[in-house]
Amino acid sequence: MSDVVITVRGEHETRIAPERAIAHLTIRSEGTERGAVVERMAAFTEPVRDDLAARKSAGTIIEWTSQRVSVWSERPWNPEGRRLAPVHHASVDFSVTFADFAVLSWWAGEVAEREGVQLGWIEWKLTPETRARVERDVATQAVSVAVARATAYAGALGLADVTALELADLGLLARQDRPEMAPPGRMLMAKASFAGDAAGGGPAVQLQPEDIVISAAVEARFAAR
């Protein structure tokens, strides 16, 4: 009897508590005089910078960064359709990385009360070492699922010997039978083997850590006899 080719998919997913939090905040100022707007924005920014530098030295935050100041102008319209005098804007963005979420909560409540400060969203992250380890474990489990499925299919056909022929990330397995049916490139990107971004996010501050989902999916071909 000739070999039977079995093609299967294996998936696995795990959730893990975040180890890092990156807080994003923006300091803004606006007014009718450009120079005054920039000076006021600098005055809002200085105490925030000093506080973050002190926290970094004390070890209560991991790191912080800030972007260059952005300055722009616009001429709004009044209800009668007339252009008004220019309004000038200035802003600078900060990101602050925390390992202690209790410290983050206290800091967020404090900084949000400062004039000109808008606290944006929180990114929940894993350390690179943890992410690499979890991705390896999840990938191993996904392959195990594929092997188990292929073995089950072979057993249903009365076959006991199963040998792996091909293994690939989801969507990358060569479709020798119908190559024209391969998914387009954009779909291949959407089906990447690993996915681990934290869900959610938005303009409101969320201080409740969200579990990070890491998943893996593979396609495999086996010969059963």
Side-chain angles (χ1 to χ4, degrees), residues 138-188:
V138 171
T140 299
Q141 291 297 322
V143 173
S144 296
V145 170
V147 172
R149 285 179 176 172
T151 302
Y153 293 161
L157 296 173
L159 306 174
D161 187 6
V162 177
T163 303
L165 300 176
E166 293 182 89
L167 177 69
D169 286 345
L170 187 62
L172 299 182
L173 189 64
R175 300 177 183 273
Q176 299 173 356
D177 50 349
R178 292 189 296 173
E180 74 281 358
M181 295 301 291
R186 190 161 66 94
M187 291 301 294
L188 290 178

Side-chain angles (χ1 to χ4, degrees), residues 22-222:
I22 303 176
H24 297 268
L25 64 88
T26 301
I27 299 177
R28 304 179 186 274
S29 177
E30 63 179 39
T32 57
E33 296 185 9
R34 187 177 187 276
V37 167
V38 174
E39 289 179 2
R40 186 162 56 251
M41 201 277 299
F44 293 159
T45 302
E46 184 176 359
V48 175
R49 287 183 183 273
D50 291 345
D51 176 66
L52 292 176
R55 289 176 182 272
K56 177 66 167 63
S57 297
T60 57
I61 63 174
I62 296 176
E63 63 180 359
W64 67 275
T65 61
S66 65
Q67 304 297 321
R68 290 185 177 180
V69 176
S70 298
V71 181
W72 71 98
S73 303
E74 63 175 345
R75 293 191 63 184
W77 299 84
N78 69 7
E80 289 75 34
R82 285 188 176 185
R83 297 294 294 272
L84 302 178
V87 176
H88 303 282
H89 304 265
S91 71
V92 61
D93 295 325
F94 287 79
S95 62
V96 189
T97 303
F98 293 83
D100 188 327
F101 300 158
V103 172
L104 166 62
S105 295
W106 281 102
W107 174 84
E110 177 184 306
V111 76
E113 295 180 355
R114 293 180 180 267
E115 186 176 4
V117 175
Q118 178 182 347
L119 190 56
W121 72 99
I122 306 296
E123 291 182 74
W124 304 106
K125 299 287 186 179
L126 299 174
T127 63
E129 296 78 13
T130 297
R131 175 174 290 276
R133 174 181 56 79
V134 175
E135 285 180 346
R136 287 194 299 269
D137 293 344
V138 171
T140 299
Q141 291 297 322
V143 173
S144 296
V145 170
V147 172
R149 285 179 176 172
T151 302
Y153 293 161
L157 296 173
L159 306 174
D161 187 6
V162 177
T163 303
L165 300 176
E166 293 182 89
L167 177 69
D169 286 345
L170 187 62
L172 299 182
L173 189 64
R175 300 177 183 273
Q176 299 173 356
D177 50 349
R178 292 189 296 173
E180 74 281 358
M181 295 301 291
R186 190 161 66 94
M187 291 301 294
L188 290 178
M189 293 177 62
K191 295 180 179 178
S193 178
F194 293 106
D197 292 337
V205 180
Q206 298 182 10
L207 299 184
Q208 178 64 39
E210 302 170 347
D211 283 349
I212 295 172
V213 178
I214 297 182
S215 61
V218 298
E219 292 177 344
R221 280 201 175 102
F222 297 85

